[in-house]
Amino acid sequence: MPTTQAASLIQVVVHLENGEPVFSYQTTDGQPCDGDVTVTEAGTLTYQLVDNTGKGLKFVGVGFTTPFDGIIDAITISSDGQLVQMLDLDRSAGTTKFQFVLSNTANTLLVLSPDPEVKNLPPTP
């Protein structure tokens, strides 16, 4: 699980296996990771889409199972749908799970990713 001190970038790689989307995660240097991040101080987590499906995937949202737990404070999606940025002020200890929501150009259905997580370990006073 990558640990971030201020900012982190994880690539969300999507390819097709037997016509179904398969998600994997990697660091910017190409090292596989599970997509989870441990945060130890306030910063921004950036997820970059790498679409190897040929289906025109774009980020359109992020769904949280616990949206009011204060782990992630805000998200933004780039206008081209290729980046999701999550603001984490690291004020609340705990773990939150989420799923990326993606559109595609093949139909009007939305694609959900498996659920990576963010774990906050706020600095102790």
Side-chain angles (χ1 to χ4, degrees), residues 31-118:
Q31 296 299 311
C33 63
D34 58 12
D36 296 350
V37 176
T38 298
V39 175
T40 57
E41 66 181 50
T44 301
L45 311 175
T46 302
Y47 289 86
Q48 177 184 37
L49 181 62
V50 178
D51 178 12
N52 294 328
T53 67
K55 302 292 184 186
L57 297 179
K58 290 184 178 183
F59 289 125
V60 295
V62 181
F64 289 83
T65 54
T66 54
F68 309 114
D69 60 10
I71 304 296
I72 296 298
D73 299 286
I75 68 154
T76 57
I77 299 171
S78 63
S79 59
D80 64 0
Q82 300 303 297
L83 295 173
V84 167
Q85 292 188 306
M86 297 184 186
L87 176 63
D88 186 341
L89 299 176
D90 199 30
R91 293 184 292 208
S92 301
T95 302
T96 193
K97 292 183 178 276
F98 58 92
Q99 290 180 281
F100 295 110
V101 182
L102 299 95
S103 65
N104 70 86
T105 56
N107 58 43
T108 59
L109 303 179
L110 298 176
V111 178
L112 292 176
S113 72
D115 55 345
E117 63 183 40
V118 174

